[in-house]
Amino acid sequence: MKEELSILIQAQYPLIYLVTSEEERAEQAIADEIAKAKTQQRRVFVWTVTHGLVEHGQPRSVTQHNTVSPEAAIQWVVQHREPGIFIFKDLHPFIDAPATTRWLRDAIASFKGTEKIIILMSPVQQIPIELEKEVVVLDFALPNLNELDRVLSKQLDRVRNKQRTTTDTREKLLKAALGLTKDEAEKVYRKACVKTGRLTEEEVEIVLSEKKQLIRRNGILEYIEEDETLASVGGLEELKRWLKQRSNAFTERAREYGLPQPKGMLILGVPGCGKSLIAKTTARLWGLPLLRLDMGRVYDGSMVGRSEANLRNALKTAESISPVILFIDELDKAFAGGTGSADSDGGTSSRIFGSFLTWMQEKTSPVFVMATANRIERLPGEFLRKGRFDEIFFVDLPTTEERQQIFQIHLGKRRNEISRFDLHQLANMSDGFSGAEIEQAIVAAMYEAFAQEREFTQLDIIAALKATLPLSRTMMEQVTALRDWARQRARPAAAAIAEYLQLES
């Protein structure tokens, strides 16, 4: 980004919009680029609504008179005869005012041959239609590992334990802070030192806590912490094998081997068969943060363009802390009708859908999209095109052997000794049940026994199973249609399912 900014300045682009919340770091980067330039040196002025125009490096009291208002400040810039870089901080609340927009257009017209440039610096991108053809928008990138390394070194010098920090520990501390601003990294390293008096591998969790705060502030993404492992998932051996093969897919060793970074996977299947649990346990298997994208929070009808901005900010946040798993549960509901929403919401859903598709196709950051869906007929066909996901898996109702595993897992969570249960009988009695329905049958049996102040038994579970009408029977047509679709278009999540599909065909 700095190279691009330097090129634009040297090429005398008159208006640059720099999207960033790191004012101090961005301002210093601009001043450094000017200082390194071999061409004529240009003075740098900074405008704020509180102090007006002040030359960079000068006290705020040394202000240019009567430049607090945006119009007066831009007028001063136009009348200023010397070359210069004029940084306007947080102009976005005023930029839609007709006078401000007109003065900016007049300034652009007057800048030809003057080596004067206006840089609008703001955490919010807001550009009037009158300026869209005149402005160049840049995102000021967050600190990279080299910049964070300087921050870490400074803090290590303060606690005087630099020599006791191994290369591996240093790398973990740096990667834990990746995605934070320079100021956020400085604060969380100081926080770790205040709490423990040192910066070692044990303090990585403290650094990661700042990332969780970053996600919470975003409001659209949710940081999910999952203690379950793949051992908590019954069956689905093919899907598990695929995931285990890619457990080191985001390492430098994989890049050196020539492997591309995985893009994502779509898990289709019957509700309650473990699709969401697989997504959550994958984060634990791969050792990556898990972020859930809540599409309901993305949509915001309070302002035109707000929903699109919400999605951009959420995806940008995910990219900033990558490598990461981005989890979208029930994708079919999130984007249902996305290709034809002009009549219902003014086309907002269509634009959101298109933006997300474009991002999935073009993203280069290590963000692995893991999505689940129940109803394939609701899912826009564009999602299923090759290149969006690395693989589409189909999760069917569990087989007899898988149901036996599921009973073993859920009974084992609730009792240390389960030899008194006949798992084979329970598996046969629960034909057509999903994993979630099996768990609820066990819970119902426990409530029944608890109310009678006794231990629950095999007969309690059988009674709960008989009292339950599984989803596979109440939604038989939907399940059959999903199986028919998956036979030719999706990869079975279990070897037994693959055999079943072959027999059906």
Side-chain angles (χ1 to χ4, degrees), residues 254-270:
R255 302 291 82 72
E256 292 170 1
Y257 191 79
L259 287 172
Q261 293 173 344
K263 289 185 176 182
M265 67 186 301
L266 175 62
I267 308 177
L268 302 172
V270 182

Side-chain angles (χ1 to χ4, degrees), residues 207-486:
V207 180
L208 287 174
S209 68
E210 191 69 19
K211 278 190 179 179
K212 297 173 187 177
Q213 285 294 328
L214 177 68
I215 299 304
R216 291 191 185 103
R217 291 196 295 268
N218 177 274
I220 299 171
L221 294 171
E222 178 186 357
Y223 194 104
I224 297 177
E225 298 182 80
E226 183 61 51
D227 294 330
E228 301 280 9
T229 66
L230 276 184
S232 301
V233 182
L236 311 183
E237 297 304 323
E238 281 294 307
L239 177 52
K240 290 179 182 178
R241 186 180 65 83
W242 191 91
L243 292 170
K244 289 175 181 177
Q245 280 185 340
R246 288 155 179 79
S247 58
N248 295 315
F250 293 101
T251 62
E252 286 301 318
R253 188 163 57 89
R255 302 291 82 72
E256 292 170 1
Y257 191 79
L259 287 172
Q261 293 173 344
K263 289 185 176 182
M265 67 186 301
L266 175 62
I267 308 177
L268 302 172
V270 182
C273 287
K275 300 186 298 298
S276 298
L277 182 59
I278 275 284
K280 294 173 182 177
T281 54
T282 299
R284 181 79 179 270
L285 174 67
W286 289 2
L288 297 179
L290 178 64
L291 306 182
R292 188 172 78 90
L293 176 60
D294 187 344
M295 292 304 300
R297 296 179 183 177
V298 168
Y299 291 99
D300 186 343
S302 62
M303 185 184 302
V304 176
R306 184 69 179 178
S307 300
E308 295 89 322
N310 286 342
L311 180 63
R312 284 196 303 270
N313 291 335
L315 296 178
K316 189 185 298 182
T317 300
E319 288 182 323
S320 71
I321 66 171
S322 60
V324 68
I325 295 175
L326 185 65
F327 174 45
I328 308 176
D329 200 14
E330 298 187 338
L331 188 72
D332 47 331
K333 293 181 181 178
F335 290 105
T339 56
S341 65
D343 295 333
S344 59
D345 59 10
T348 299
S349 297
S350 294
R351 293 193 297 272
I352 291 287
F353 174 66
S355 297
F356 188 76
L357 280 182
T358 301
W359 174 79
M360 282 190 65
Q361 188 66 31
E362 298 179 356
K363 69 181 175 71
T364 56
S365 56
V367 177
F368 186 83
V369 179
M370 182 168 275
T372 67
N374 297 323
R375 302 189 63 175
I376 193 63
E377 71 274 9
R378 288 185 175 182
L379 202 59
E382 292 90 333
F383 266 122
L384 307 176
R385 185 176 68 78
K386 286 292 184 182
R388 307 289 189 202
F389 296 100
D390 296 317
E391 194 64 81
I392 299 175
F393 278 96
F394 171 61
V395 178
D396 202 349
L397 291 166
T399 62
T400 304
E401 292 76 12
E402 288 175 330
R403 292 196 298 275
Q404 190 167 327
Q405 289 182 36
I406 293 169
F407 272 109
Q408 184 175 5
I409 290 169
H410 287 298
L411 289 171
K413 286 181 180 179
R414 292 160 174 83
R415 294 293 183 270
N416 293 327
E417 178 56 50
I418 63 171
S419 59
R420 58 192 174 93
F421 295 100
D422 185 346
L423 301 181
H424 183 70
Q425 183 190 25
L426 292 174
N428 288 330
M429 292 288 298
S430 57
D431 185 29
F433 280 63
S434 67
E437 289 167 337
I438 288 173
E439 181 181 14
Q440 287 308 307
I442 295 173
V443 171
M446 293 178 69
Y447 268 114
E448 180 70 24
F450 179 75
Q452 299 177 27
E453 298 184 354
R454 60 177 176 80
E455 181 64 6
F456 74 104
T457 65
Q458 178 98 357
L459 292 177
D460 292 317
I461 300 176
I462 292 174
L465 291 172
K466 289 182 177 180
T468 303
L469 185 63
L471 199 66
S472 61
R473 295 174 194 166
T474 59
M475 301 178 63
M476 186 179 299
E477 295 81 4
Q478 181 182 327
V479 173
T480 302
L482 187 58
R483 282 172 170 167
D484 290 341
W485 186 94

Side-chain angles (χ1 to χ4, degrees), residues 157-213:
D157 286 338
R158 289 178 180 173
V159 296
R160 298 182 178 179
N161 72 337
K162 187 174 181 180
Q163 293 182 350
R164 298 198 302 273
T165 304
T166 65
T167 303
D168 185 55
T169 298
R170 193 182 188 94
E171 183 179 354
K172 289 181 179 179
L173 285 167
L174 289 173
K175 287 190 174 180
L178 202 60
L180 301 178
T181 65
K182 182 182 176 182
D183 184 55
E184 287 171 336
E186 288 176 346
K187 287 189 292 188
V188 76
Y189 285 147
R190 289 200 305 268
K191 176 182 176 182
C193 290
V194 168
K195 290 186 72 173
T196 65
R198 61 179 190 265
L199 273 173
T200 66
E201 191 169 329
E202 295 178 4
E203 281 64 58
V204 169
E205 188 59 36
I206 298 176
V207 180
L208 287 174
S209 68
E210 191 69 19
K211 278 190 179 179
K212 297 173 187 177
Q213 285 294 328

